[in-house]
Amino acid sequence: MDSEKELSGKTVLLMAIATGIIVANLNYIQPIEGLIADSFQVSKAAVGVVAMLTQLGYAFGLLFIVPLGDIFNRYHLIQIMLSLSILSLLLAFWAPSLIIFGVASLLVGITSVAPQIIIPYAAYLAPSLHRGKVLGNVLSGLLTGILLSRSVSGLLGSVLSWQYVYLIAAIACTILLGVLHLYLPRDPRQKQHMQYGKVMASLPKLLAKEKHLQGSAINGFCLFGVSNVLWSTLAFYLAHQYHFGSGVAGLLGLLGITGVLFASIIGQMVDKYSPRMTVGLGILFSTLSFVIFTSLGHLFIGLIVGIVLLDLGTQFGQVSNQAIVQSLSLQASSRNNSIFMFSYFLGGSLGTFFGTLAWSNFGWSGVCLVGTIFLVLALLGHLFLKEPEKLQKVS
């Protein structure tokens, strides 16, 4: 296979845009949790559980659906999952009760896994010497989708009924489906003859075999967990501390542009220097952010600086860990990615749950304490399950 021919700049851009649009589905709920609670006349903690269901659904979709990328044609699998995601978004738009909305949110999470099929697909098509750079570019689209989803959701929630956020998301995904059908590269692999049961049974063996996969899974669990501790509670804190609405919470999401701008640079740093170093920087930036949230979170400027550092730390960890995971084996790339991203979003769902629980019982100080616990775990994983100094150049 001619990787240079298979993966042009336009194709990388399309993959980045696709990951951003689809992953956005997971984060629309965060700035509008208060609006949803008022609409259904339930507690903020109840809506926090629904937000957790989205992340948890995504984690299980990663575990049980993403490994199919090592069996089935990825060109078709991506489009099938996107179609199911559209139906789930429409159910969320229509939902007349919190229970149905919770079911819809769980399905949105389960079906929005196409980005994690696209990422190993991009790694498979990319030249091995530039894999980190390509993944950095695709992941910049992923982070853009995350931060813009918060902004779009918050702003739309301030001028329209919150349900329209999900209708507009369904329309965007429908347009994307048509574009991917026309322009996504066909999967060049020969038909795979593995059975689903054997593929799933191989996941624990891969995790036990690959020490670096273990390290990336723990690091991703912690760094995405600590990110969601903040983003699941920020709208509540802004309303309590400053009497701001969902629009401001959405605008603060734009501060994550720092991570987007650095994504490609981080990918190049991973290629040129050491993924262990860049993972360490991710932990450092995330830790500094919570030091600022704890000491200066009562000041608006403190929130701004902390959010910038947190998103930068999240991106350092995400790009570095993806590069490590995708350097282990191209034949098992979807399965390795499934294990890593399952742990990643399991951490995110627990960060959402414990963050909102801490807010409901202990306020901002409780939120900062939960974030600190995740960061201590990240540091212990970094010290005892050491990341590689250099990426393996598999082909």
Side-chain angles (χ1 to χ4, degrees), residues 280-290 306 309-310 312-314 316:
L281 287 173
I283 297 172
L284 175 62
F285 287 128
S286 297
T287 301
L288 289 175
S289 72
F290 266 80
L309 288 171
L310 182 62
L312 192 58
T314 301
F316 261 96

Side-chain angles (χ1 to χ4, degrees), residues 53-325:
L53 287 176
T54 306
Q55 302 287 343
L56 197 60
Y58 194 70
F60 281 100
L62 291 166
L63 184 62
F64 293 107
I65 296 174
V66 169
L68 295 174
D70 284 339
I71 308 174
F72 296 121
N73 184 294
R74 286 184 273 206
Y75 169 79
H76 296 302
L77 183 59
I78 289 165
Q79 294 177 67
I80 291 169
M81 296 314 303
L82 184 53
S83 299
L84 295 173
S85 184
I86 292 166
L87 295 176
S88 301
L89 290 166
L90 291 174
L91 180 62
F93 164 69
W94 170 78
S97 68
L98 183 67
I99 292 176
I100 295 177
F101 180 66
V103 171
S105 296
L106 180 67
L107 292 174
V108 166
I110 292 171
T111 60
S112 295
V113 295
Q116 304 309 325
I117 302 169
I118 292 172
I119 289 168
Y121 194 22
Y124 179 83
L125 296 172
S128 61
L129 292 177
H130 301 290
R131 192 163 289 130
K133 181 179 178 181
V134 168
L135 286 172
N137 288 332
V138 174
L139 289 166
S140 69
L142 193 80
L143 185 61
T144 301
I146 292 173
L147 73 93
L148 288 183
S149 66
R150 294 169 182 148
S151 303
V152 169
S153 176
L155 292 173
L156 286 176
S158 66
V159 297
L160 297 171
S161 296
W162 63 265
Q163 290 92 338
Y164 283 94
V165 172
Y166 290 93
L167 177 61
I168 293 169
I171 293 171
C173 287
T174 302
I175 295 170
L176 175 64
L177 180 61
V179 175
L180 290 178
H181 181 72
L182 292 174
Y183 298 108
L184 188 68
R186 271 52 173 179
D187 195 335
R189 299 174 304 168
Q190 298 295 319
K191 184 177 180 180
Q192 306 297 302
H193 297 286
M194 293 182 289
Q195 296 178 347
Y196 180 71
K198 291 183 178 179
V199 168
M200 294 305 299
S202 72
L203 296 183
K205 297 176 183 177
L206 286 171
L207 182 60
K209 173 185 173 184
E210 297 286 359
K211 179 183 176 182
H212 295 318
L213 180 59
Q214 298 168 17
S216 291
I218 292 174
N219 186 262
F221 176 97
C222 295
L223 291 191
F224 195 55
V226 80
S227 175
N228 275 18
V229 168
L230 172 80
W231 287 109
S232 64
T233 57
L234 182 61
F236 301 147
Y237 183 62
L238 289 172
H240 171 80
Q241 183 76 9
Y242 302 104
H243 307 291
F244 290 153
S246 64
V248 176
L251 286 173
L252 286 177
L254 290 174
L255 294 173
I257 192 67
T258 305
V260 175
L261 295 175
F262 273 85
S264 181
I265 296 173
I266 295 169
Q268 293 177 58
M269 289 174 65
V270 174
D271 283 333
K272 186 175 181 180
Y273 300 110
S274 165
R276 178 164 174 76
M277 178 193 76
T278 51
V279 167
L281 287 173
I283 297 172
L284 175 62
F285 287 128
S286 297
T287 301
L288 289 175
S289 72
F290 266 80
V291 170
I292 291 172
F293 291 145
T294 302
S295 58
L296 299 173
H298 61 285
L299 301 176
F300 197 65
I301 186 64
L303 281 180
I304 291 174
V305 174
I307 288 171
V308 170
L309 288 171
L310 182 62
D311 279 327
L312 192 58
T314 301
Q315 189 71 343
F316 261 96
Q318 170 76 328
V319 174
S320 303
N321 285 312
Q322 280 285 6
I324 292 169
V325 170

Side-chain angles (χ1 to χ4, degrees), residues 2 8 17 35 45 50 84 95 129 133 158 225 261 289 336 356 373:
D2 186 347
S8 67
I17 292 171
L35 298 175
V50 174
L84 295 173
L129 292 177
K133 181 179 178 181
S158 66
L261 295 175
S289 72
N336 286 335
T356 53
I373 293 171

